[in-house]
Amino acid sequence: MSISFEGKVAIVTGAGGGLGRCHALELAKRGARVVVNDLGGAMDGSGGNSAASEAVVEEIRAAGGEAIANGGSVSDEQGVQSMVQAAMDQWGRIDILINNAGILRDRSFAKMDLADFRAVLEVHLMGAVMATKAVWPIMREQGYGRIIMTTSPSGLFGNFGQTNYGAAKLGMVGFMNTLKIEGAKNNIHTNAIAPVAMTRMTEGLIPEEAGKQMGPELITPGVVYLCSEEAPNGVILQAAGGKFSAAYIVENEGVSLGQDVTVEDVAAHWDQITDLTGVKPRNMLQLGG
Ligand code: NAI
């Protein structure tokens, strides 16, 4: 069974390099027309020009695909609107949005200033919100849409020096959890990818030898599946070096302590309250295709 994107239009943010570039190339190879967005700045979000997005567009065209470049920032509301408008003017529909653009401003929380916290939220979380907001009415009208949130193990499980990044990344999962419900009746499916891959973002973090087995192109098959017509809705897919698994927000059985519950009752039943036996995911609408 081969999965085709003929006739589909995709926007991939932050697609001038790393993971986004791989997603854009694969979608284009399978027939999608692609908007390649990238601010083209440094890893902390400073600077920028459209050279990175234009280079990927050239790669796509050289391989016989169709693409347009956009050098705007996902945190510029007007810019995002005009990017979406440009895609509509050119191709008349938008089927896929991959929210992938991201920056890092790592520091321990004690040393982090609020400007760096806000900047990271603004790109990852608000960037995803603004791009999604711009395509949402179009997807509703079409009765079709596939949206990807690029989350991170740092958001799901925590990582030293990444309070800003982790908050933004888990915020994207919270955003997805309601979009999956609100979009379902219009066949808009929203899923999340939690990747680990060797890119400029992880240079120096993943050891060089291990990094050779962890190319960004090994994440793309999972992401592209989540962009397909048979995509599930509301799944957090983890991907690293060719391994794929699902992460869940689960709850346990818990214990009912009655109407006269006291603080001491909670303390006395702590083991039962937190017991992981029989945990199950909650409110997952649709786990399969
Ligand atoms: P990358 O740095 O190569 O890619 C991020 C891209 O986003 C860059 O090309 C950058 O220019 C672009 N960008 C930054 N701010 C932007 C803005 N305001 N508007 C438009 N574009 C902007 O790094 P990588 O690894 O490919 O990251 C892609 C996504 O995957 C990010 O959201 C990152 O947080 C996430 N991620 C990556 C992991 C990894 O192991 N590489 C782990 C977990 C998450």
Side-chain angles (χ1 to χ4, degrees):
M1 175 200 58
S2 101
I3 295 184
S4 164
F5 290 88
E6 272 325 315
K8 299 277 196 287
V9 174
I11 296 177
V12 187
T13 70
L19 292 163
R21 172 181 162 273
C22 293
H23 306 335
L25 291 175
E26 186 66 24
L27 284 168
K29 196 170 113 189
R30 290 170 180 269
R33 291 159 290 175
V34 184
V35 179
V36 177
N37 158 270
D38 203 294
L39 179 62
M43 216 166 62
D44 67 357
S46 59
N49 60 60
S50 56
S53 57
E54 279 161 11
V56 174
V57 165
E58 278 318 308
E59 270 188 87
I60 290 173
R61 289 186 182 150
E66 264 188 82
I68 52 177
N70 176 279
S73 168
V74 290
S75 44
D76 166 14
E77 194 180 342
Q78 288 304 319
V80 168
Q81 281 291 350
S82 46
M83 169 177 75
V84 167
Q85 194 53 51
M88 288 302 284
D89 292 346
Q90 185 100 0
W91 295 313
R93 57 185 297 119
I94 295 168
D95 302 281
I96 295 160
L97 168 67
I98 303 182
N99 288 304
N100 168 80
I103 61 170
L104 283 185
R105 299 214 179 161
D106 291 3
R107 282 190 145 229
S108 66
F109 189 58
K111 293 183 185 151
M112 184 177 296
D113 64 38
L114 290 179
D116 284 341
F117 205 105
R118 287 201 176 97
V120 166
L121 286 181
E122 198 58 35
V123 173
H124 292 272
L125 180 57
M126 287 312 295
V129 170
M130 285 190 272
T132 303
K133 182 78 180 158
V135 302
W136 195 254
I138 296 165
M139 290 181 171
R140 276 169 52 91
E141 179 79 13
Q142 289 169 178
Y144 187 80
R146 296 290 180 261
I147 298 173
I148 309 294
M149 303 293 168
T150 307
T151 183
S152 166
S154 291
L156 298 173
F157 310 117
N159 194 21
F160 191 93
Q162 296 196 318
T163 49
N164 50 0
Y165 183 77
K169 288 306 202 187
L170 202 56
M172 294 173 80
V173 173
F175 181 39
M176 171 189 83
N177 281 337
T178 291
L179 288 178
K180 78 184 177 195
I181 297 166
E182 295 187 6
K185 68 175 184 299
N186 293 113
N187 195 9
I188 305 173
H189 291 189
T190 309
N191 292 284
I193 180 79
V196 181
M198 194 69 180
T199 65
R200 73 170 184 174
M201 208 178 251
T202 46
E203 241 173 51
L205 299 174
I206 300 177
E208 208 179 312
E209 214 34 53
K212 288 182 187 151
Q213 312 293 317
M214 302 188 74
E217 68 284 353
L218 295 173
I219 309 300
T220 293
V223 171
V224 168
Y225 172 67
L226 296 178
C227 293
S228 72
E229 287 187 6
E230 56 197 89
N233 191 15
V235 169
I236 305 167
L237 177 66
Q238 302 191 106
K243 181 182 176 196
F244 297 89
S245 59
Y248 295 97
I249 295 170
V250 297
E251 67 180 350
N252 68 359
E253 300 257 321
V255 56
S256 188
L257 298 176
Q259 300 293 301
D260 302 320
V261 58
T262 64
V263 177
E264 287 73 21
D265 290 336
V266 173
H269 291 87
W270 194 248
D271 285 351
Q272 242 178 310
I273 291 170
T274 56
D275 181 13
L276 284 171
T277 314
V279 292
K280 53 180 185 297
R282 170 147 181 198
N283 200 17
M284 298 295 282
L285 276 186
Q286 197 183 341
L287 294 176

